[in-house]
Amino acid sequence: MTEPIEQAHAEHLAATLKALADPARLRLLSLVASSADQEACVCDLIEPVGLSQPTVSHHLKVLTEAGFLSRSKRGTWAYYRLRPEALTGVADFLTV
Amino acid sequence: MTEPIEQAHAEHLAATLKALADPARLRLLSLVASSADQEACVCDLIEPVGLSQPTVSHHLKVLTEAGFLSRSKRGTWAYYRLRPEALTGVADFLTV
């Protein structure tokens, strides 16, 4: 953040930060990030956060749309994998 | 983010990220961060963001309350200085 950012960049970054700015989503992201291979089945995320499956799936969708997770379907369940470069992109902006 | 975060930590971090997740506030923060000594008079921030003084002051208050800026009054104007350690705290969490 060594120079002023433009409106378009600010709008994109604000939308990305908004996707992160939720306690349940931060917990889900940290659960995926700390899983083996930084990947987790939605079925293993429900109990630790103590929310219903539809709510967990909604939060995972928001994180996926913001670029923090990628989703793949294997059998009955959806698996989510961390996209660390998305986090790095935000962290780099915040480094002064 | 190498281990799951607890609910209380997640709530605090979400509130901090919410303060950042606004285009005008990101632009104001980047303007302060790129000023000499990472400090700026509110009077110099109004024109670059193209918002009214009350609106700019409101956004600066939110950023100050979230810990990203410190405020001091000198004469007629308020001056805002970056607290880089607050940004580092968020960036560190996002580093995986």
Side-chain angles (χ1 to χ4, degrees):
Chain A
M1 217 191 293
T2 49
E3 55 184 51
I5 59 171
E6 299 299 323
Q7 182 66 19
H9 181 188
E11 282 172 13
H12 178 259
L13 191 60
T16 304
L17 287 167
K18 215 164 275 180
L20 275 186
D22 177 276
R25 290 202 284 275
L26 288 169
R27 294 189 67 198
L28 287 165
L29 200 60
S30 75
L31 284 164
V32 175
S34 55
S35 298
D37 291 330
Q38 300 187 323
E39 187 184 62
C41 172
V42 63
C43 57
D44 292 325
L45 297 171
I46 294 162
E47 189 273 326
V49 290
L51 297 168
S52 70
Q53 199 218 303
T55 301
V56 168
S57 292
H58 162 75
H59 286 309
L60 292 169
K61 185 164 183 272
V62 174
L63 288 168
T64 303
E65 286 174 352
F68 293 113
L69 297 174
S70 64
R71 179 184 187 276
S72 59
K73 195 105 190 257
R74 295 206 289 277
T76 316
W77 293 103
Y79 288 75
Y80 290 86
R81 184 185 289 269
L82 187 71
R83 295 186 66 241
E85 65 274 27
L87 286 174
T88 311
V90 177
D92 283 353
F93 170 78
L94 298 177
T95 305
V96 286
Chain B
M1 217 190 293
T2 48
E3 55 185 52
I5 59 171
E6 299 299 323
Q7 181 67 17
H9 182 188
E11 282 172 14
H12 179 259
L13 191 60
T16 304
L17 287 167
K18 217 164 273 181
L20 274 186
D22 177 277
R25 290 202 283 276
L26 288 168
R27 294 189 66 198
L28 287 166
L29 200 61
S30 76
L31 284 163
V32 174
S34 55
S35 298
D37 291 331
Q38 300 188 321
E39 187 183 62
C41 172
V42 62
C43 57
D44 292 325
L45 298 170
I46 295 162
E47 189 271 327
V49 289
L51 298 168
S52 70
Q53 199 219 304
T55 301
V56 168
S57 292
H58 162 74
H59 286 309
L60 292 169
K61 186 163 184 272
V62 174
L63 288 168
T64 303
E65 285 173 353
F68 294 112
L69 297 174
S70 63
R71 179 184 188 274
S72 58
K73 195 106 189 255
R74 295 205 290 277
T76 316
W77 293 102
Y79 287 76
Y80 290 87
R81 185 185 289 268
L82 188 72
R83 296 186 66 242
E85 64 274 28
L87 286 174
T88 311
V90 178
D92 283 353
F93 170 77
L94 299 177
T95 306
V96 285

